[in-house]
Amino acid sequence: KICMSMSDYHPESWNPGWSVATILKGVLSFMLSDELTTGAIETSPYEKRKLAKESIAWNEANTEFCSLFPDFAQIRIEEIARRAQLNHGGVDTSKKPPDGICTEKEERSHKFNILCAQGKFAEASQYIPEQKEACDQTAKEKQLADDAFRAGNVDAAIAAYDRAIAIGLPHCSVLFRNRAAAREKRSSPSDIDIISDCTKAIDIDHALNEPPSRKALLRRADAYFRSGDLKKAQKDLLAAKACPGQDLQSRFERLNSLLFPSDSQHSTLNSSDDGSSASKKKTRRSGSKKKKKKRII
């Protein structure tokens, strides 16, 4: 419990005039002050800043938080870009620097972010050496998660992906894509969580001016379809169709037949028409040959 006048620790002081805004201000002031009271933790200014810096990654790894605040993904992307500007001399690492006019620092930051998005953490640390420890820890947790996923231990894989994300490296879209794949394998998968992870991965790709992941689009389309949001499922399927590659092709074909049945039927009719016409031509040719033989005889 927290010793505050608006909490259940002091029900006698509750005032119905409290609004959400004033309650939040009270909670914020409680976190910033140093009073020794029930629920309070005495920390130094450095520790407060450290916890504030880690709060985004901590919230990101909290499934319940993400389900309650689905818009947090975009806010996180914007905040990471803002912090990147501060940490790298005003460089906006959320956008690809234009060819020919980017500085060396901008180019290194962009390459670092692209490699993190691809899961190539060892290579990424070469561009920003001060992030080597974070890159090594993230790579280690990702490897544990990948191994657990291949072994069929889905819960252990998700837990390891959670830890990797909580380390806080920016733009790690591969972690969200892989966690979405692991969540799909659960006996009772949560479509909300899958949609959330895929959306984060797609948003990161967009922030880096990279094409969206075909796997993320198809997994999100499948989750939208299961949850009954057919319009969003169709939109993702069309976007996946424009992506290069054949990843999850069987899933694409299944969703295409379910979401666009008229297109599938049209394709089937065309193939059957072609086959029937070809067989008719073949029959005519064979018939004409028989007639010629009769004439010779």
Side-chain angles (χ1 to χ4, degrees), residues 2-296:
I2 301 177
C3 181
M4 302 184 73
S5 57
M6 82 283 286
S7 70
D8 62 349
Y9 195 87
H10 287 291
E12 75 283 355
S13 63
W14 169 252
N15 185 345
W18 283 92
S19 66
V20 174
T22 53
I23 290 174
L24 290 176
K25 287 180 180 178
V27 173
L28 180 61
S29 65
F30 185 86
M31 295 171 66
L32 296 176
S33 62
D34 290 322
E35 289 85 359
L36 293 178
T37 182
T38 303
I41 300 176
E42 187 177 4
T43 56
S44 65
Y46 168 79
E47 188 68 17
K48 285 184 175 66
R49 288 193 294 269
K50 180 175 179 292
L51 293 173
K53 184 178 180 180
E54 295 172 352
S55 63
I56 290 182
W58 191 91
N59 288 331
E60 186 63 46
N62 190 307
T63 303
E64 183 178 4
F65 178 89
C66 292
S67 63
L68 291 174
F69 302 99
D71 296 336
F72 178 71
Q74 184 59 37
I75 296 173
R76 178 182 183 274
I77 296 296
E78 295 171 357
E79 178 62 15
I80 287 174
R82 185 188 71 80
R83 292 185 182 185
Q85 285 183 297
L86 297 176
N87 294 335
H88 300 292
V91 177
D92 184 0
T93 58
S94 67
K95 294 182 180 180
K96 186 175 182 179
D99 294 336
I101 62 172
C102 61
T103 65
E104 182 182 355
K105 183 179 288 186
E106 288 173 326
E107 183 66 23
R108 292 175 72 85
S109 295
H110 179 66
K111 288 181 178 178
F112 174 83
N113 292 326
I114 292 294
L115 291 168
C116 282
Q118 297 172 351
K120 300 177 181 178
F121 302 109
E123 295 179 43
S125 64
Q126 296 175 10
Y127 290 94
I128 303 182
E130 55 267 31
Q131 292 281 14
K132 185 179 186 308
E133 183 178 356
C135 286
D136 291 345
Q137 292 176 353
T138 304
K140 180 180 178 181
E141 293 295 345
K142 180 182 178 297
Q143 187 62 53
L144 291 173
D146 293 346
D147 292 343
F149 180 75
R150 295 188 190 98
N153 194 343
V154 177
D155 290 334
I158 293 173
Y161 286 130
D162 289 344
R163 293 193 299 271
I165 291 170
I167 292 170
L169 278 180
H171 304 108
C172 295
S173 57
V174 64
L175 299 177
F176 295 105
R177 288 198 304 270
N178 290 4
R179 190 170 69 175
R183 282 174 165 164
E184 272 190 330
K185 297 296 183 180
R186 276 180 161 169
S187 56
S188 299
S190 169
D191 289 329
I192 293 177
D193 291 340
I194 294 169
I195 291 170
S196 175
D197 274 351
C198 292
T199 300
K200 290 164 190 169
I202 293 167
D203 287 344
I204 291 172
D205 291 337
H206 177 73
L208 293 172
N209 288 335
E210 291 292 306
S213 164
R214 177 181 165 96
K215 290 182 178 180
L217 286 168
L218 288 174
R219 286 196 175 98
R220 191 171 69 172
D222 216 349
Y224 277 138
F225 177 77
R226 289 193 299 268
S227 61
D229 198 335
L230 301 185
K231 288 186 177 180
K232 288 184 178 179
Q234 289 175 331
K235 183 178 178 181
D236 277 351
L237 188 66
L238 291 174
K241 187 177 182 179
C243 292
Q246 297 291 317
D247 292 331
L248 303 180
Q249 183 62 22
S250 60
R251 185 186 304 225
F252 173 83
E253 293 172 357
R254 173 176 59 81
L255 286 171
N256 190 54
S257 64
L258 292 170
L259 294 169
F260 300 101
S262 58
D263 292 348
S264 300
Q265 186 178 7
H266 178 69
S267 176
T268 304
L269 288 173
N270 284 342
S271 62
S272 62
D273 289 344
D274 292 342
S276 60
S277 60
S279 62
K280 287 179 182 177
K281 289 178 181 178
K282 189 174 182 180
T283 304
R284 289 180 191 141
R285 288 173 184 170
S286 61
S288 62
K289 287 181 180 179
K290 288 180 181 178
K291 288 180 181 178
K292 287 180 180 179
K293 286 183 180 180
K294 287 181 179 178
R295 289 173 186 171
I296 293 172

